[in-house]
Amino acid sequence: MAMDGSSSETAPDLRVDVAIVGGGMAGLTAACGLAQYGLEIAVIDTEAPQDLTAQTFDGRCSAIAYASVQMLKSLKIWPPLEDTAQPIKEIRVSDGESRHFLHFDFAQIGDQPLGEMVENRHLRQALFFRASQLSNLHLLAPARVETVTRDQARAHLVLKDGRTVSAALAIGADGRNSRMRQQAAIQTPRWRYNQVGIVATVAHELPHCAIAHERFLPDGPFAILPLTGNRSSLVWTARASSEKAIMGLSPRAFEAEVQRRMGDFLGKATICGPRWSYPLGLHMAERYIDTRLALIGDAAHGIHPIAGQGLNMGLRDIAALIEVLVEAARRGEDIGSPFVLERYQRWRRTDNVVLALVTDTLNRLFSNDIAPIRHARDLGLSVVNRLPVLKRFFMSHARGTVGKLPRLLEGHPL
Amino acid sequence: MTAPYKPLSKSATIDADEAYRFAQTAEHWWDANGPFRPLHKLNPARLDFIRTAIMRHKKTDGASLRPFKDLNMVDLGCGGGLICEPLSRLGGNLTGLDVSDETVSIAREHAKAMGLPIQYRQATAEQLAEEDNQFDVVLALEVIEHVADPALFLAAARRLVKDDGLLIFSTLNRTAKSFALGIMAAEYVLGWVPRGTHDWKKFVTPIEFTQALESAGFYVGKISGLSYDVLGDCWHLSHDTSVNYIGAATPV
């Protein structure tokens, strides 16, 4: 990054410890966490909060793993979600038409649920609410970042409306096509799966009993995830080529297609609200850090939603980054220095590459209908089911309690 | 790096050769991949000790990000300001002392870029003590092994610290292990620090250091070891004082 003497000469409108570009779920979680421990934070987002939390903005739901819930509790983000979150007490995995069930029951690893289903817009509302309680968190939205200059001493941001922000560290939380990442010329290998995720909410006659179902159909996984009441969130992975046809179906025809895939164990299903379609891909930034810059969330990586780990992986990065930065600040270290940022990258990147490869392999293995592979899969599921040790390992993964955990994920304050 | 180093003949604690060696590398103090990288890596562990020791002694607030507000501190042999800057961020009123002009100007420039109000002076501990300055915290980190007369240096340190103040010291132990790691590995094999940075014969054992501090009028409290974790590539506090150690002392 070029040294720009002029921008540092005049006093900035806002001088903070950390400037976060992007006020989505990742950016706001990081902001709330860092502000809770006393750092001065600015968050800049192009959208106004009321637009981000509107019913039409994001129809997705997220499976928040047990460890991530602990983190949201430590950061005091969780309370408003208490009433709207649906615990997942069991996960049943089945392979297409086959009757082999892989059955994960939380009672086998303790008395806590495996995770909680949360509607993204509720999570965003909870984040904005927490942000509003923190006087050292400055939310600049809607606002657009015009230029970012990062030098050895500071990161300088100039907004389109002329305001300037100076920070010891800039965090790029600006999504999968992150401009912050591109500006730092960080290579990001990516590929598209020839799949889209179609998301809708259904109401059904019978209770789901807090069980999540994942069925491996030939087109890709089909997930039925419990929401509060007799409702479930569906993630229908379809071939990209059939996206247009599915999105163009009449409400009745769409409902019939969904019912056919769900089966009738929940009784008659009625679609509520609109349907959304998201392209599925994998990308992984080759570095998470640059001069006075750290990447989080989709700016750093995105993986296949097959194991429901995307958001959890992002939260884990954020918990690690908060821990690294707060520890550094308490020692008086320069939180934007390469020595501090290297600790974050070192801690998280290897872990994420492994998870990306695992989900990629799972998806390739399960998204086909070739007979030998299917039999091997059936066998695999049966074996896993009968070996308690293996099952506990998979469940611990689902709960996000494997590996060197950031303290926040263990439910400890910093 | 062009101005020649002028030894100050008045002072007994400057080792002219040592000071000249540091002046040669002054511009690299803040270079993340430069010759001082090992010292930067050592910093978190040293700061952990310093922070805890001062907070315990002064009973300051543990959760605060500025626990050292209003404490006057001096760093003897401050180098590029690797310790002064963090302590200034934590709220301390910092004075940094170094015998090298080059080093002091690099430190001053860097603190200015960081917006930190640190006073840097090219002076020796004895010169500062002559001025009847006294401080809440006096730091002598990785410096005793570089001075010509340790006893004179510690006597000056004693005059600089207030009666209810604290001295924090750290150095390299003189053991076979420190020779192997500190000199052979760090200077020759790994190339971590420039060759000739250290003279092993001038290293001080914890017992010698404690005796010297007691003669200078200090009571030595806790001494911790600093250990290097190869896998994590980081230093942490430990009970093993055989290579590097850090301690706190109070005036008697």
Side-chain angles (χ1 to χ4, degrees):
Chain A
M1 199 60 31
M3 184 87 183
D4 185 352
S6 61
S7 60
S8 53
E9 291 302 320
T10 50
D13 295 318
L14 190 57
R15 190 180 164 91
V16 292
D17 295 310
V18 183
I20 302 177
V21 179
M25 295 193 286
L28 278 180
T29 307
C32 291
L34 293 169
Q36 172 165 317
Y37 291 102
L39 292 165
E40 204 68 31
I41 310 295
V43 179
I44 302 123
D45 198 277
T46 51
E47 309 272 346
Q50 58 270 28
D51 294 336
L52 280 173
T53 51
Q55 190 128 29
T56 45
F57 180 78
D58 182 352
R60 285 172 295 183
C61 298
S62 295
I64 316 265
Y66 172 78
S68 305
V69 173
Q70 299 313 302
M71 168 184 176
L72 296 178
K73 283 181 178 167
S74 300
L75 299 183
K76 304 190 173 101
I77 293 163
W78 189 257
L81 294 168
E82 205 71 66
D83 298 331
T84 52
Q86 167 66 46
I88 301 173
K89 297 188 173 171
E90 257 181 74
I91 300 176
R92 286 190 188 167
V93 182
S94 61
D95 186 9
E97 303 304 305
S98 127
R99 60 197 161 71
H100 290 286
F101 268 83
L102 182 57
H103 179 197
F104 295 127
D105 184 344
F106 77 100
Q108 289 175 333
I109 49 166
D111 56 358
Q112 292 296 322
L114 293 157
E116 304 267 352
M117 282 300 299
V118 167
E119 296 177 44
N120 286 5
R121 79 193 163 89
H122 289 151
L123 179 52
R124 288 177 202 274
Q125 279 164 353
L127 284 163
F128 282 119
F129 178 67
R130 178 65 182 134
S132 71
Q133 298 173 321
L134 295 157
S135 58
N136 51 337
L137 194 165
H138 310 274
L139 184 61
L140 311 179
R144 194 173 281 277
V145 176
E146 186 93 333
T147 60
V148 180
T149 320
R150 294 175 286 110
D151 59 39
Q152 294 308 316
R154 304 285 289 179
H156 310 277
L157 288 75
V158 180
L159 309 189
K160 201 156 195 175
D161 58 22
R163 282 182 291 180
T164 54
V165 181
S166 164
L169 173 67
I171 291 182
D174 49 347
R176 68 166 89 184
N177 296 316
S178 169
R179 275 177 59 210
M180 298 291 281
R181 185 184 68 217
Q182 288 163 16
Q183 194 215 20
I186 297 174
Q187 297 291 313
T188 307
R190 60 172 70 216
W191 59 83
R192 280 278 173 94
Y193 296 105
N194 200 17
Q195 292 170 328
V196 290
I198 291 166
V199 174
T201 304
V202 291
H204 36 74
E205 291 174 321
L206 303 174
H208 47 54
C209 304
I211 302 171
H213 295 265
E214 183 139 22
R215 317 194 128 177
F216 291 103
L217 301 177
D219 285 351
F222 186 91
I224 306 162
L225 307 161
L227 297 177
T228 47
N230 278 358
R231 294 183 310 142
S232 290
S233 167
L234 303 180
V235 185
W236 171 2
T237 313
R239 289 207 168 105
S241 54
S242 40
E243 180 197 9
K244 251 201 183 129
I246 296 169
M247 292 306 284
L249 288 174
S250 72
R252 279 188 79 135
F254 181 66
E255 208 163 80
E257 285 298 321
V258 163
Q259 183 86 61
R260 201 159 68 78
R261 282 168 174 78
M262 283 176 68
D264 55 7
F265 72 100
L266 290 173
K268 184 172 161 31
T270 320
I271 305 286
C272 24
R275 62 193 100 140
W276 286 269
S277 150
Y278 300 94
L280 301 183
L282 183 150
H283 65 273
M284 183 66 59
E286 67 166 16
R287 282 181 289 128
Y288 289 180
I289 56 171
D290 197 66
T291 308
R292 304 259 157 212
L293 175 69
L295 301 177
I296 58 171
D298 288 347
H301 49 66
I303 60 170
H304 196 283
I306 190 165
Q309 292 300 323
L311 178 64
N312 293 306
M313 179 162 136
L315 289 175
R316 224 165 149 163
D317 291 347
I318 292 165
L321 183 61
I322 292 172
E323 186 170 327
V324 165
L325 295 182
V326 169
E327 271 190 0
R330 284 181 183 164
R331 285 187 196 112
E333 286 183 278
D334 172 4
I335 56 169
S337 81
F339 298 100
V340 173
L341 298 181
E342 276 168 18
R343 287 173 218 153
Y344 164 57
Q345 155 133 322
R346 196 183 178 97
W347 190 350
R348 292 301 306 150
R349 198 172 175 278
T350 322
D351 202 4
N352 290 342
V353 169
V354 171
L355 191 57
L357 289 177
V358 169
T359 55
D360 181 62
T361 311
L362 271 178
N363 181 54
R364 280 162 202 274
L365 195 60
F366 281 103
S367 298
N368 67 67
D369 202 17
I370 303 161
I373 293 188
R374 209 181 63 214
H375 290 310
R377 268 179 352 220
D378 290 348
L379 198 62
L381 290 185
S382 308
V383 168
V384 173
N385 213 12
R386 289 197 185 121
L387 286 175
V389 180
L390 259 184
K391 261 175 83 168
R392 269 198 292 274
F393 172 77
F394 279 116
M395 276 194 285
S396 297
H397 253 293
R399 284 162 48 111
T401 51
V402 175
K404 187 200 168 194
L405 278 187
R407 290 178 56 78
L408 287 170
L409 288 182
E410 291 177 323
H412 300 308
L414 294 182
Chain B
M1 209 49 41
T2 46
Y5 172 70
K6 288 182 242 96
L8 292 164
S9 53
K10 272 184 192 163
S11 166
T13 64
I14 297 178
D15 182 317
D17 290 345
E18 290 272 5
Y20 176 74
R21 249 197 307 279
F22 277 103
Q24 290 302 299
T25 46
E27 63 180 328
H28 298 296
W29 273 104
W30 291 96
D31 179 356
N33 296 306
F36 293 103
R37 183 177 171 83
L39 210 49
H40 283 276
K41 301 289 279 188
L42 190 63
N43 236 14
R46 296 198 299 179
L47 288 167
D48 280 341
F49 183 92
I50 295 167
R51 182 170 176 274
T52 313
I54 299 176
M55 292 205 314
R56 210 169 271 163
H57 189 71
K58 292 287 173 191
K59 300 184 174 50
T60 52
D61 176 16
S64 165
L65 292 183
R66 292 179 71 78
F68 302 156
K69 207 169 165 324
D70 302 328
L71 287 185
N72 289 319
M73 310 189 182
V74 63
D75 183 8
L76 308 175
C78 62
L82 267 60
I83 289 290
C84 284
E85 289 198 2
L87 296 181
S88 168
R89 268 191 207 95
L90 293 178
N93 283 329
L94 263 290
T95 302
L97 236 58
D98 206 276
V99 294
S100 153
D101 263 335
E102 303 281 345
T103 302
V104 165
S105 59
I106 292 285
R108 207 173 271 149
E109 210 173 285
H110 197 268
K112 192 178 164 227
M114 289 289 150
L116 296 170
I118 302 169
Q119 267 225 5
Y120 285 110
R121 293 181 53 182
Q122 189 262 324
T124 63
E126 306 91 89
Q127 286 168 340
L128 193 66
E130 293 293 321
E131 298 169 20
D132 283 334
N133 280 309
Q134 285 211 307
F135 298 85
D136 297 296
V137 180
V138 174
L139 299 132
L141 308 176
E142 267 66 52
V143 67
I144 196 85
E145 72 272 24
H146 299 291
V147 302
D149 186 342
L152 202 63
F153 175 79
L154 291 179
R158 174 62 191 90
R159 282 153 68 202
L160 285 169
V161 63
K162 287 183 187 166
D163 287 341
D164 62 348
L166 191 68
L167 171 80
I168 295 177
F169 57 93
S170 71
T171 191
L172 285 126
N173 200 347
R174 193 176 67 253
T175 59
K177 194 170 164 191
S178 75
F179 182 75
L181 289 177
I183 310 274
M184 291 315 291
E187 294 186 15
Y188 289 86
V189 181
L190 299 170
W192 275 0
V193 293
R195 289 182 189 187
T197 297
H198 290 113
D199 178 354
W200 183 73
K201 293 190 294 297
K202 285 169 75 179
F203 288 2
V204 186
T205 67
I207 290 173
E208 290 165 351
F209 211 148
T210 301
Q211 284 168 348
L213 283 164
E214 282 169 358
S215 312
F218 286 102
Y219 166 77
V220 178
K222 189 182 170 62
I223 294 186
S224 283
L226 291 155
S227 301
Y228 178 65
D229 166 11
V230 181
L231 286 180
D233 184 27
C234 63
W235 290 81
H236 53 85
L237 294 170
S238 72
H239 294 295
D240 178 6
T241 57
S242 65
V243 182
N244 291 67
Y245 60 94
I246 184 164
T250 46
V252 181

